[in-house]
Amino acid sequence: MKLTLIGQDNILMRFYVHFFYKLNIKDVLLSAVILPNNMKSKSKSSIKLRKSMSFHNFTDSKSNLRIPKLFWNRIETRNLLESYFLKQDIDLRSFKLDKQIPLNNVSYVNTKSMTCNELSQQKLPSTDFFLNTGSFIYNKNLLDSLQRKVVHVHPGYLPELRGGDGLLWSIYLKEEIGLTLFKMNEFIDEGEIYDRKKIKFNRINNSSLKKLTNQQKYNFIFSSLDPVFRSHFFWSTAYKKLNEDSLIINEKNKGIYKSFMTENELEKVFF
């Protein structure tokens, strides 16, 4: 199976590549399309695709990786995370954020900003599936140009929980982490479901984390727990469901939709 990561060069994309190698996936040919950080509604940029065989050759991902570096490059925090995940049979000991990682093919969209419609006009590599790592909403033109092959891991159990900050809402409402691999469409978290899972959330009892501000705690969660759980779920079991025909109907009238958390709501979630 050919699979292409598509999105910004961010911590989520890095962990998808990490676990691809860590779990020794042999039945997938993995490529990537690196998009500009700024996906605007309007743009008049000149666009070129540049090819490479690894990350970090033609892209400046500092804005996406700056915050994760604050956590992963600190020995104390890294040791905490490695021990926390090892208890859940997730091994992070070889993870390096700045590592040049070889893939089958890496295509960089060489422009500062672009729109979904502009991206839809680019000739992207042939693939069986695109795995989204971006934070923008795909419109109909883009989904059609990608032949409706875009999948995404939502950090919530669909259709029970849709919308932003899914991992935080899962912890807050149910003391668990929900994960769902689904086929993307024009609507938020409403595509057909390939696989889903619930994990009991074990709180991190650590004095240094308790001293962080809410924003720092938020950054910590989305630099560590969120991308690790999503990418490990995908490569450990979920990707094998992509070639199965028995998709689960994502019932629109069930579950709840949540937007991003407020400061007061964040106070009640952390540690």
Side-chain angles (χ1 to χ4, degrees), residues 24-259:
N24 198 28
I25 306 299
K26 297 295 187 183
D27 54 350
V28 173
L29 196 61
L30 187 64
S31 300
V33 173
I34 312 294
L35 303 180
N37 292 333
N38 198 353
M39 292 295 292
K40 293 183 175 181
S41 58
K42 292 183 179 180
S43 174
K44 292 183 180 178
S45 305
S46 60
I47 300 169
K48 294 181 180 179
L49 284 181
R50 299 184 70 175
K51 303 281 186 175
S52 174
M53 296 302 289
S54 68
F55 283 92
H56 269 321
N57 283 18
F58 300 120
T59 186
D60 177 6
S61 61
K62 289 180 181 177
S63 62
N64 289 318
L65 298 176
R66 177 175 55 82
I67 289 175
K69 283 180 183 178
L70 297 177
F71 298 101
W72 288 103
N73 290 352
R74 287 180 57 200
I75 293 176
E76 179 188 5
T77 309
R78 187 181 181 98
N79 290 341
L80 168 69
L81 288 166
E82 286 181 357
S83 61
Y84 175 80
F85 281 109
L86 271 177
K87 292 175 184 176
Q88 300 173 67
D89 295 323
I90 300 176
D91 190 351
L92 302 178
R93 287 173 294 183
S94 63
F95 174 69
K96 291 183 180 179
L97 193 59
D98 296 327
K99 190 176 181 181
Q100 278 206 4
I101 310 168
L103 293 179
N104 174 57
N105 178 33
V106 181
S107 300
Y108 291 95
V109 180
N110 192 33
T111 183
K112 290 184 178 180
S113 66
M114 70 186 307
T115 68
C116 284
N117 287 338
E118 287 172 330
L119 180 57
S120 70
Q121 296 166 15
Q122 302 303 305
K123 185 174 177 58
L124 299 182
S126 173
T127 191
D128 295 312
F129 295 96
F130 290 96
L131 176 58
N132 173 57
T133 70
S135 56
F136 61 96
I137 297 174
Y138 287 64
N139 66 14
K140 182 179 183 301
N141 287 345
L142 180 54
L143 289 167
D144 287 344
S145 73
L146 300 177
Q147 299 179 297
R148 300 277 166 168
K149 294 179 178 179
V150 187
V151 300
H152 179 63
V153 175
H154 171 64
Y157 193 84
L158 294 176
E160 292 179 6
L161 181 63
R162 312 177 199 274
D165 285 347
L167 183 137
L168 296 177
W169 283 113
S170 294
I171 294 170
Y172 176 62
L173 296 173
K174 299 191 175 184
E175 288 283 326
E176 67 185 20
I177 292 173
L179 300 159
T180 305
L181 174 64
F182 73 100
K183 186 176 183 179
M184 292 182 71
N185 60 22
E186 299 93 323
F187 308 103
I188 297 174
D189 302 332
E190 291 188 8
E192 293 176 298
I193 296 166
Y194 289 99
D195 196 17
R196 53 191 175 177
K197 180 179 182 179
K198 292 181 180 179
I199 303 170
K200 180 174 173 52
F201 176 65
N202 298 309
R203 292 186 177 275
I204 303 176
N205 187 13
N206 182 272
S207 58
S208 64
L209 294 182
K210 290 177 181 177
K211 295 175 184 177
L212 299 178
T213 66
N214 280 341
Q215 185 60 53
Q216 289 171 328
K217 291 173 182 175
Y218 187 92
N219 291 341
F220 173 82
I221 288 283
F222 287 100
S223 297
S224 56
L225 300 189
D226 179 89
V228 171
F229 278 120
R230 283 205 266 175
S231 54
H232 188 267
F233 160 71
F234 180 80
W235 287 120
S236 61
T237 56
Y239 86 94
K240 296 176 182 178
K241 300 289 183 72
L242 289 174
N243 288 322
E244 295 183 7
D245 296 327
S246 55
L247 274 68
I248 303 166
I249 296 174
N250 191 346
E251 299 180 70
K252 293 190 292 184
N253 298 326
K254 288 191 175 181
I256 56 175
Y257 178 89
K258 288 289 188 179
S259 56

